[in-house]
Amino acid sequence: MRSMKKLMLAGLAATMLSSSAFAEGLSGELRVFSDMSNPAPRAVMEGMVERFGAMHPDLDIELTVIDREAYKTQIRNFLTADAPDVANWYAANRMGPYVNAGLFEDISDLWAEPEFAALASTKGAMTIDDKQWGVPYTYYQWGVYYRQDIFEELGLTAPATFEEELANCEKIVASGRACYTIGSKFLWTAGGWFDYLNMRTNGYDFHMQLARGEIEWTDDRVRETFANWRKLIDMGGFIEDHQTYSWQEALPFMINGDATAYLMGNFAVPHFRDGGLTDDQLGFYQFPVINPDVAMAEDAPTDTFHIPANAQNKEAAREFLRFIVSADNQTMINAGDALGQLPVNAGSSVDDDKFLKAGFSMLSNDAPGGVAQFFDRDFSAEMAKAGMEGLQEFMVYPDNLDDILERLEFVRQDTAE
């Protein structure tokens, strides 16, 4: 652990205090706990504390940074016994245990403020029991990264519908390539495929009801999701033996042109570039429409800040959360030389990067159905583990679907008891 007192930055204070968006007269102590322990995120966290401290010179801010893995094991203890005023964590199901235990503060009053309308894309991920329990500060898109040059060679365009996707895939397979690379050795990549196929087949609300254990895995609508998935499997759409590769080990198939696309998070882009692909060769498209009657929803894992229920300075904590989600702050902390990710605030500016700009536009303008957090964040830990094992098995042995769904339904019922 390390603590840091606020730094007085006179010039910055004068600039920031000119804004009427922030309250004046904050005093006392504000204790902030963070798991942003890697060098770049840590610098971002320290910078936010410095800037907020400059705005509120009578407020004594103490930042405690804890190693990320240690933070995961300590959070319940410190929320219970010696709670800070602000703590960072994750959205959706990952915050559920602390909401249900009464350890996070209801901040629906903040979300009712006009400025919070700019965060609408992630409101669902911050909502449990129709109340909001934290604020987002960064996220990143998932989607289909593809070899634009190979598509041009084959006379293909990025598909807007699943029918177009299947037609493209037929031509790609006929050319001797796989449509998709994937490394499912560590299971979670298969979870991404299920997320998109289920949200496109049945919609975000259905997907989240399944994640909460409210829908049976043997439901015909779930089977329809797997039927759509099997169309790609049966035509040879995925690389062979993907269960033996990690997600990084699957990258060369696309870099070398043996596969033409990868359903993946934006964190893969630097690896594509390091492998020699230029931005002229590499493209990005939103996972295509399957059911036109459901609104488009996206996977965009979101990192968050919360006010512990046992916080001592909730007034200052609320003001810090307002600061965190402000457009200017989110522009700064998500810049390429900072987090290198996406601001959640629709009024923020995005780093001048082809794929970050594409992701921000998609999540801000083309995700009306909602933003999911990813399979192993949205589903309970027990269900996520069993679920991802079953999803990988289905990709290798699709004829096992009935057995897989029965096993997953048993886990759902067992965890619901």
Side-chain angles (χ1 to χ4, degrees):
M1 288 189 186
R2 174 172 177 261
S3 295
M4 181 188 72
K5 295 295 182 180
K6 67 183 187 309
L7 302 180
M8 298 304 300
L9 305 178
L12 182 59
T15 300
M16 299 301 288
L17 286 170
S18 66
S19 171
S20 62
F22 299 102
E24 298 180 2
L26 294 179
S27 61
E29 184 178 60
L30 179 70
R31 298 172 62 226
V32 180
F33 278 20
S34 173
D35 69 351
M36 296 165 70
S37 55
N38 290 332
R42 185 186 191 115
V44 165
M45 190 70 237
E46 292 175 346
M48 282 198 294
V49 167
E50 291 174 5
R51 294 192 300 279
F52 189 70
M55 294 164 58
H56 302 285
D58 294 329
L59 185 65
D60 186 23
I61 308 175
E62 182 182 87
L63 170 64
T64 300
V65 179
I66 303 171
D67 175 78
R68 175 159 290 195
E69 292 307 312
Y71 193 97
K72 293 176 183 177
T73 63
Q74 294 176 20
I75 182 171
R76 182 174 288 273
N77 288 338
F78 69 65
L79 288 177
T80 303
D82 186 23
D85 301 297
V86 176
N88 70 271
W89 192 238
Y90 309 104
N93 185 65
R94 291 292 293 276
M95 69 178 183
Y98 308 110
V99 171
N100 296 334
L103 296 174
F104 280 162
E105 180 87 351
D106 174 5
I107 59 163
S108 302
D109 57 320
L110 291 183
W111 281 87
E113 296 175 2
E115 292 79 9
F116 278 67
L119 311 174
S121 64
T122 60
K123 185 175 182 180
M126 304 307 309
T127 301
I128 294 177
D129 294 332
D130 296 323
K131 299 175 182 178
Q132 289 74 53
W133 303 93
V135 300
Y137 68 94
T138 187
Y139 65 168
Y140 59 88
Q141 83 268 18
W142 269 65
V144 182
Y145 296 85
Y146 73 106
R147 286 290 300 271
Q148 195 165 274
D149 55 337
I150 297 178
F151 270 47
E152 292 172 358
E153 172 195 329
L154 298 176
L156 307 177
T157 57
T161 68
F162 197 54
E163 289 77 12
E164 293 172 2
E165 175 80 3
L166 294 172
N168 280 358
C169 197
E170 288 180 355
K171 294 179 180 178
I172 292 166
V173 171
S175 76
R177 304 175 175 95
C179 307
Y180 284 97
T181 187
I182 181 174
S184 64
K185 181 178 180 179
F186 297 120
L187 304 180
W188 57 266
T189 51
W193 270 96
F194 180 81
D195 284 353
Y196 273 98
L197 287 160
N198 196 41
M199 288 192 293
R200 293 292 187 268
T201 302
N202 296 304
Y204 173 84
D205 290 342
F206 178 92
H207 185 71
M208 298 312 298
Q209 287 175 318
L210 183 67
R212 292 192 297 267
E214 298 168 6
I215 292 175
E216 297 179 358
W217 277 92
T218 51
D219 189 290
D220 285 344
R221 293 166 293 180
V222 177
R223 290 181 179 276
E224 187 177 358
T225 294
F226 283 96
N228 286 325
W229 199 348
R230 183 156 187 172
K231 293 174 184 177
L232 287 169
I233 294 170
D234 285 350
M235 69 169 58
F238 297 95
I239 62 168
E240 295 181 355
D241 300 322
H242 54 79
Q243 72 275 15
T244 66
Y245 303 113
S246 69
W247 78 267
Q248 296 100 325
E249 291 168 340
L251 288 163
F253 290 93
M254 182 167 156
I255 292 169
N256 298 333
D258 296 319
T260 60
Y262 207 163
L263 176 63
M264 186 50 63
N266 195 64
F267 52 80
V269 169
H271 297 273
F272 289 132
R273 290 170 173 159
D274 290 345
L277 293 181
T278 68
D279 285 2
D280 289 335
Q281 292 175 292
L282 191 60
F284 173 83
Y285 63 84
Q286 187 173 20
F287 197 96
V289 173
I290 295 178
N291 179 353
D293 294 329
V294 300
M296 299 283 271
E298 297 298 319
D299 267 347
T302 305
D303 295 340
T304 56
F305 280 93
H306 305 263
I307 300 175
N310 296 325
Q312 298 300 305
N313 195 343
K314 294 183 180 180
E315 178 187 6
R318 275 177 159 73
E319 201 60 36
F320 189 59
L321 264 56
R322 290 188 182 98
F323 168 72
I324 287 169
V325 302
S326 64
D328 288 346
N329 182 64
Q330 293 215 347
T331 293
M332 185 178 297
I333 67 175
N334 286 288
D337 59 355
L339 294 177
Q341 297 187 165
L342 292 174
V344 180
N345 191 309
S348 297
S349 299
V350 182
D351 193 76
D352 189 21
D353 175 272
K354 170 181 177 179
F355 299 102
L356 288 175
K357 286 183 175 294
F360 187 68
S361 176
M362 178 183 74
L363 294 171
S364 298
N365 304 309
D366 299 319
V371 174
Q373 292 305 298
F374 202 73
F375 192 93
D376 59 358
R377 291 193 184 191
D378 289 323
F379 287 74
S380 68
E382 297 85 356
M383 193 71 251
K385 180 180 184 297
M388 291 188 296
E389 290 171 352
L391 300 178
Q392 185 215 52
E393 180 182 345
F394 171 75
M395 292 192 71
V396 180
Y397 303 108
D399 287 341
N400 291 2
L401 180 61
D402 287 343
D403 289 342
I404 292 168
L405 293 181
E406 288 175 6
R407 292 201 307 270
L408 298 187
E409 176 56 18
F410 176 83
V411 175
R412 183 192 74 86
Q413 294 181 20
D414 187 56
T415 56
E417 294 176 355

